[in-house]
Amino acid sequence: MQNLKISILFLLCLSCNQEREKIFPQRTKLTSSVYASATIQPDSLYQVFAVVAGILDDNLVEEGDLVEKGDAILQINNRAPKLNAENAYLSLQQSKENVQGNAAILKDIEDEIYATRLRFKNDSINFSRQKRLWEQNIGSKAEFDARKLAYELSENQLKQQNAKYVRTKYDLETKMAQAKNSYSSSKIITDDYTVNSKIKGRVYALFKEPGELVNTLEPLGTIGSATNFKIVMLIDEVDIIKIKIDQLTLITLDAYPKEVFTAKVSKIYPQKDERSQTFTIEARFTESPAILYPGLAGEGNIVIAEKEDALTIPIEYLIEGDKVETEEGLVNVEVGFQNLERVEIVSGITENTLLLKPKE
């Protein structure tokens, strides 16, 4: 009876062992990678802000439109600044006319200087002639004094008019420079009421409608590259030290469920997000999908190591991180690289070791 029980138990154990899956280790190429969540974002994406507060007059573009650098995209009500700019422009034109035009103030002074110079020349000649006569005792003292006085008066008047010309020219040029500065300042203020694109790209979002109040603190829209996209990935802090620039990255997107795209790590942000305990990195496609939109989600696997001809087993056959089960019982092994599916066995078993799948 006792022998019968032993035989039944043996048969049951043998039956259990026969039902469990068995495999031999395999030599394969093993790729070790770091997993990351991935989100697609346009390159150079930025939020649009106004530098002045006011009422939105018009959205000059629509969401999805392509824009060039400097294109106007939003117009804020600028009637008062525009009138000020027009008045400043008129003042500038008047100042230019006073300095450079046909009816310029300086032209009148130049004409006066010309007439005074002729009179001075004539008085100088008469005085010189009368002086020579007086030296020859010809003529009267009163006539000599009159010629001398006329000469001195015209000389003094010419000096005064030359000084007046210099002073007037300086004043007019100063006023023209002030008018130019005033016009430039008012034009800058007017330009501030028009929001322009900082880059060549696409308008991805507009947040305000005409008639709404805008301020300098709320974004009015977002603009980014229309052709260049980046992959933003979140890396767990325990894995960030494994990441390096130019590492191969395999990207899968929910929008392309049956395709795998290649990319390379392009940027590592050094600041950790304390809330999620993750680091942010960026990658660039080397093989990009035909169509991309901001916010497309997926997964990334950053390849940190590759090994040819590695002795590997499915990761579910590994017990407690360093053991496998054989027909003779548990065996300690040394593991190497691993990924989500397979793990490298450095020592402890060979290709000929039959492994049992651990019981669930």
Side-chain angles (χ1 to χ4, degrees), residues 55 59 116 133 187 198 238 346 348 357:
I55 303 296
N59 287 322
T116 303
L133 292 174
K187 192 173 184 302
K198 303 298 182 184
V238 300
V346 177
K357 187 175 182 179

Side-chain angles (χ1 to χ4, degrees), residues 49-56 74-78 81 188-195 212-218 220:
F49 286 86
V51 297
V52 295
I55 303 296
L56 183 63
L74 298 163
Q75 181 63 56
I76 301 170
N77 187 304
N78 66 342
I188 290 173
I189 293 174
T190 303
D191 291 344
D192 286 344
Y193 283 78
T194 302
V195 182
E212 290 190 80
L213 182 68
V214 300
N215 57 49
T216 59
L217 302 178
E218 295 180 316
L220 304 180

Side-chain angles (χ1 to χ4, degrees), residues 90-110 165-180:
L90 293 175
S91 296
L92 176 60
Q93 293 302 110
Q94 185 179 15
S95 297
K96 286 183 177 180
E97 180 65 24
N98 289 338
V99 176
Q100 304 166 352
N102 294 328
I105 297 174
L106 291 179
K107 183 69 169 53
D108 293 339
I109 300 177
E110 287 174 352
Y165 177 85
V166 172
R167 185 173 60 254
T168 303
K169 182 180 180 182
Y170 175 78
D171 290 343
L172 291 175
E173 288 178 344
T174 300
K175 289 180 180 178
M176 185 175 71
Q178 291 173 340
K180 186 180 295 183

Side-chain angles (χ1 to χ4, degrees), residues 23-25 313 324-328 331 348-356:
I23 63 164
F24 287 101
I313 64 172
V324 293
E325 186 176 358
T326 68
E327 291 182 317
E328 286 75 29
V331 175
I349 60 174
T350 68
E351 297 174 66
N352 300 319
T353 304
L354 184 63
L355 302 180
L356 304 178

Side-chain angles (χ1 to χ4, degrees), residues 79-194:
R79 291 182 180 84
K82 190 174 182 180
L83 288 174
N84 292 336
E86 290 175 355
N87 290 335
Y89 177 76
L90 293 175
S91 296
L92 176 60
Q93 293 302 110
Q94 185 179 15
S95 297
K96 286 183 177 180
E97 180 65 24
N98 289 338
V99 176
Q100 304 166 352
N102 294 328
I105 297 174
L106 291 179
K107 183 69 169 53
D108 293 339
I109 300 177
E110 287 174 352
D111 292 342
E112 292 176 3
I113 291 175
Y114 178 74
T116 303
R117 186 177 289 114
L118 291 178
R119 185 164 59 253
F120 170 70
K121 184 177 181 181
N122 184 63
D123 290 341
S124 176
I125 292 172
N126 290 335
F127 172 64
S128 298
R129 184 182 299 117
Q130 192 63 40
K131 184 179 180 182
R132 287 195 300 272
L133 292 174
W134 177 249
E135 289 172 350
Q136 298 174 16
N137 295 321
I138 301 174
S140 64
K141 181 71 166 58
E143 191 174 4
F144 171 76
D145 290 340
R147 296 293 184 186
K148 181 180 180 183
L149 180 60
Y151 164 74
E152 290 175 347
L153 288 174
S154 60
E155 181 183 35
N156 186 58
Q157 188 176 12
L158 181 60
K159 289 180 180 178
Q160 289 180 346
Q161 288 182 340
N162 281 329
K164 179 182 178 182
Y165 177 85
V166 172
R167 185 173 60 254
T168 303
K169 182 180 180 182
Y170 175 78
D171 290 343
L172 291 175
E173 288 178 344
T174 300
K175 289 180 180 178
M176 185 175 71
Q178 291 173 340
K180 186 180 295 183
N181 290 339
S182 178
Y183 173 64
S184 297
S185 177
S186 61
K187 192 173 184 302
I188 290 173
I189 293 174
T190 303
D191 291 344
D192 286 344
Y193 283 78
T194 302

Side-chain angles (χ1 to χ4, degrees), residues 18-19 39 46 54 57 73 92 94 97 112 141 147 165 171 181 211 213 233 236 252 263 265 270 291 296 319 330 348:
Q18 289 175 343
E19 291 176 359
T39 305
Y46 77 98
D57 253 359
I73 56 177
L92 176 60
Q94 185 179 15
E97 180 65 24
E112 292 176 3
K141 181 71 166 58
R147 296 293 184 186
Y165 177 85
D171 290 343
N181 290 339
L213 182 68
M233 293 180 284
D236 192 278
T252 58
V265 175
I291 300 174
L296 289 181
I319 302 172
L330 294 179

